[in-house]
Amino acid sequence: MLLVAVCCASKVTVSAQTPDQTTGPNQTWTATSDLNSNNANPTRTTESHTRNGNRTVDTHSLQRRGSDGQFEPYQDIETETLQVNSTTVRTTTRTFGRDTNGRKTLVQVREEEKRTATGGDSSVVRVVSNPDANGRLQPVQRDIEQTKKISKDVEETKTTTMLPGINGLAPAMQVQERRERGANDTVESQKTTLFPDGAGNWQVGEVRQATTRQEGKSSED
């Protein structure tokens, strides 16, 4: 057996970084880094974080070098997290690209609401929407996730994914996962993937079992 190793040198330079200026509920920082690689077009990433009370806004902006040698905007991702109350968190992520004229254009919106119960149960609803030809947002995926705490060491999660159909969004896949913590920091899990059969019933498509250990080693059947 002959192993050939190829090493690619990349240089990452943090050109500017401003740490948190305040403590407590209000925090703001910005960090910019340049990535220069021998095998790729140089890029510049700017990340910012603003926290004001129960509202947090994180932005991730990517620039790439244009034909004139200057950095130009390429992609922006803005994530807004709102702590509605002690049990509910809403997160909205907006992804922007650039059109042929270089104008900032909305590409996708991802909305998520998570509710947590005192016993450890939780429910999450995620909706992904894309703009149509007229710029109006149209939902293209909806996930409903429910997690139940069966016991101290056993947890079950059921996630139903809905995709566009003839009459709008319709159930297209369901994933049922059971996780049980065992001895020596191991976690036994079983993940079952089901698909609709056309008659309103779910049919098993795949079953996967895994054992995960804290050391990072795992085995799957």
Side-chain angles (χ1 to χ4, degrees), residues 16-201:
Q17 183 170 353
T18 303
D20 292 350
Q21 299 297 315
T22 57
T23 59
N26 301 322
Q27 297 178 353
T28 300
W29 58 260
T30 301
T32 301
S33 61
D34 291 347
L35 174 61
N36 298 314
S37 173
N38 295 332
N39 301 318
N41 189 28
T43 59
R44 173 173 293 171
T45 301
T46 301
E47 296 179 306
S48 66
H49 172 86
T50 302
R51 177 180 167 186
N52 187 359
N54 62 344
R55 181 175 177 267
T56 302
V57 177
D58 292 285
T59 62
H60 180 98
S61 299
L62 178 66
Q63 295 178 306
R64 61 182 180 182
R65 195 180 298 277
S67 57
D68 59 357
Q70 302 297 318
F71 281 105
E72 58 185 22
Y74 177 66
Q75 184 185 67
D76 298 285
I77 300 176
E78 302 174 358
T79 302
E80 179 181 355
T81 303
L82 179 65
Q83 184 77 45
V84 180
N85 50 46
S86 60
T87 62
T88 305
V89 177
R90 291 176 186 162
T91 303
T92 302
T93 301
R94 299 178 178 88
T95 301
F96 298 88
R98 294 298 184 279
D99 62 14
T100 55
N101 297 318
R103 293 175 298 189
K104 187 176 181 180
T105 305
L106 181 64
V107 175
Q108 189 175 85
V109 176
R110 178 188 175 98
E111 299 173 287
E112 175 180 304
E113 180 172 291
K114 181 176 181 179
R115 298 177 181 269
T116 305
T118 55
D121 295 353
S122 65
S123 62
V124 180
V125 177
R126 304 184 189 92
V127 178
V128 178
S129 302
N130 294 341
D132 59 15
N134 298 317
R136 293 175 297 197
L137 289 174
Q138 301 293 335
V140 296
Q141 181 174 328
R142 180 184 177 92
D143 296 325
I144 302 175
E145 178 183 299
Q146 296 178 321
T147 300
K148 293 185 178 297
K149 197 77 171 178
I150 306 303
S151 65
K152 177 184 176 182
D153 298 319
V154 180
E155 185 178 78
E156 292 182 349
T157 299
K158 181 174 69 174
T159 303
T160 302
T161 298
M162 306 177 71
L163 299 176
I166 299 177
N167 299 316
L169 294 180
M173 183 178 67
Q174 188 176 99
V175 177
Q176 300 175 359
E177 185 173 7
R178 178 184 175 92
R179 296 174 295 275
E180 182 173 358
R181 184 174 300 277
N184 301 321
D185 294 322
T186 61
V187 176
E188 302 281 347
S189 64
Q190 177 172 299
K191 182 182 293 186
T192 304
T193 303
L194 305 97
F195 299 95
D197 61 1
N201 301 312

